[in-house]
Amino acid sequence: MNVPLIIVVVIVVVVGMIMLSRSGSQRKKEAIADLQREKDSLQTPDILELVNQEVSESGITDLPGAEGIDPVVLLKAWKRDGDDCAAGEGGFVVAEGVEPSAATEADVTFECP
């Protein structure tokens, strides 16, 4: 057998294996980076973010009596009492003697005209 030919074939095979290994490693790194970007974009908002989003989208903070009341309390009272009101009508009423900033959902009602 021709020894130099065998050495060349072995070198070519080793170089080919090294190149395949590196390209697979690079693809794996790219896949991991893509997965991380997708994971970051799919972050689930917490409950307070969802409440604040719904309160701002519905516009209930602009209704009469809403000033100073916690958004969670506003949303609960509005969902509980506001079914019969037309859009943009009604207002929040805080129980007598209760500061709006300290009001709970039991202290706040949503009343329609």
Side-chain angles (χ1 to χ4, degrees), residues 16-77:
M17 290 175 63
I18 290 172
M19 291 181 73
L20 284 174
S21 172
R22 284 187 179 178
S23 84
S25 177
Q26 183 63 27
R27 275 182 280 183
K28 189 186 295 184
K29 287 179 184 177
E30 290 172 3
I32 290 171
D34 284 345
L35 182 62
Q36 186 61 42
R37 281 191 296 274
E38 186 175 330
K39 187 176 176 183
D40 291 342
S41 71
L42 296 176
Q43 178 187 7
T44 305
D46 69 4
I47 189 70
L48 288 179
E49 289 174 335
L50 292 172
V51 166
N52 288 330
Q53 180 182 355
E54 185 166 353
V55 165
S56 67
E57 287 175 1
S58 65
I60 61 176
T61 55
D62 299 331
L63 293 174
E67 190 173 326
I69 300 174
D70 184 272
V72 174
V73 174
L74 286 176
L75 188 60
K76 286 181 178 182

Side-chain angles (χ1 to χ4, degrees), residues 75-93:
L75 188 60
K76 286 181 178 182
W78 183 65
K79 292 276 186 176
R80 181 189 64 217
D81 303 333
D83 287 340
D84 297 331
C85 290
E89 292 185 5
F92 293 95
V93 178

